Amino acid sequence: MTDEEEYEEYRNTLNEIVDGGGCVETMGAAAELRDGSPSRRDLLGSDALTAGVAESVDDVLAEVDTDDARAALRADYEDLDDVRATFESTVDPALFDAIEAAGVDLSGVDAMALDPAVCLKTFTEADLPAAMTLVPHVEESGVAGRIVARETVGGRPVTVHAIPSSGRSYAVLGADPERLVLPDGSDHDCVDGTEQPTGVDCDPEMAARTEYLQTTLSVDGETYVLETTCSPV
């Protein structure tokens, strides 16, 4: 099987984006993505949603079993086409009007390539102008799936978040400082974003435990996750 065939096989499975981004070779895989010749072995990471929650951590959002977290991410999707379709049906069309009013014209969800689908670390650390990933959205009540897609317009990254279980969508415009844009047309400075440990392990194969860390911003009583990363505990 050629690398191109392996890549096509990888794109038709959820394993890559549900693994939490624990791949040791993430940056090598990202470089291959930029060169247009990724191999499936490089892109498939460790099965990172397999361990339990952090021990003796008082400030985590919720004690979510990682098997349950994986199940929540996979529950509604048979393949990546399902993820893309759910993203498109969840994002409020008014959000693109708000993004345009904030200075970036994405021309609607149809203009987003939603490719490639990558693990979380590749999404956050690689210099990819466009990408999509699926991450745990952790709240006190438990975990849901959040689809995150990035497009770059005029050198400015725009990250659109969609939470299908609640029907919420919003965007983060990359700049200095970053801006949170909501479908109601409002946009907000992200400088006051705060980090919150989730309690969900994102790479149990590492000797030092890492967990999903959410950077959040509260607006009018609603909490928006600006970014999800993996961070040492």
Side-chain angles (χ1 to χ4, degrees), residues 135-156:
V135 298
H137 184 83
V138 185
E139 299 176 320
E140 291 182 2
S141 58
V143 63
R146 177 160 42 92
I147 307 169
V148 188
R150 178 171 62 235
E151 288 289 337
T152 302
V153 179
R156 187 177 189 183

Side-chain angles (χ1 to χ4, degrees), residues 40-221:
R40 189 168 184 266
R41 179 182 179 277
D42 288 331
L43 292 169
L44 292 176
S46 62
D47 211 6
L49 288 175
T50 56
V53 298
E55 298 179 359
S56 303
V57 178
D58 297 327
D59 59 346
V60 296
L61 276 173
E63 291 193 359
V64 178
D65 181 86
T66 47
D67 285 336
D68 293 339
R70 175 193 290 134
L73 264 65
R74 293 181 185 273
D76 298 321
Y77 312 114
E78 292 294 329
D79 54 36
L80 295 183
D81 286 340
D82 287 346
V83 179
R84 295 183 180 98
T86 301
F87 177 85
E88 293 176 359
S89 63
T90 302
V91 176
D92 189 334
L95 178 61
F96 293 97
D97 295 332
I99 294 172
E100 183 176 0
V104 179
D105 183 10
L106 276 179
S107 301
V109 70
D110 291 340
M112 301 190 74
L114 303 183
D115 247 344
V118 297
C119 65
L120 176 63
K121 270 188 182 174
T122 302
F123 187 88
T124 55
E125 296 179 7
D127 184 21
L128 298 175
M132 177 187 73
T133 194
L134 177 64
V135 298
H137 184 83
V138 185
E139 299 176 320
E140 291 182 2
S141 58
V143 63
R146 177 160 42 92
I147 307 169
V148 188
R150 178 171 62 235
E151 288 289 337
T152 302
V153 179
R156 187 177 189 183
V158 180
T159 307
V160 178
H161 300 248
I163 309 170
S165 61
S166 62
R168 297 173 66 194
S169 61
Y170 54 93
V172 177
L173 306 186
D176 189 12
E178 289 184 327
R179 308 291 298 178
L180 169 69
V181 179
L182 305 180
D184 65 6
S186 62
D187 71 278
H188 308 269
D189 196 325
C190 297
V191 69
D192 292 326
T194 59
E195 293 184 342
Q196 174 66 66
T198 64
V200 182
D201 193 359
C202 60
D203 195 350
E205 291 189 0
M206 292 185 65
R209 187 183 182 281
T210 60
E211 71 177 32
Y212 290 105
L213 183 71
Q214 295 180 163
T215 302
T216 65
L217 183 70
S218 294
V219 177
D220 298 330

Side-chain angles (χ1 to χ4, degrees), residues 12-19 74 77-80 83:
N12 291 324
T13 179
L14 290 178
N15 289 342
E16 190 337 48
I17 56 176
V18 179
D19 74 1
R74 293 181 185 273
Y77 312 114
E78 292 294 329
D79 54 36
L80 295 183
V83 179

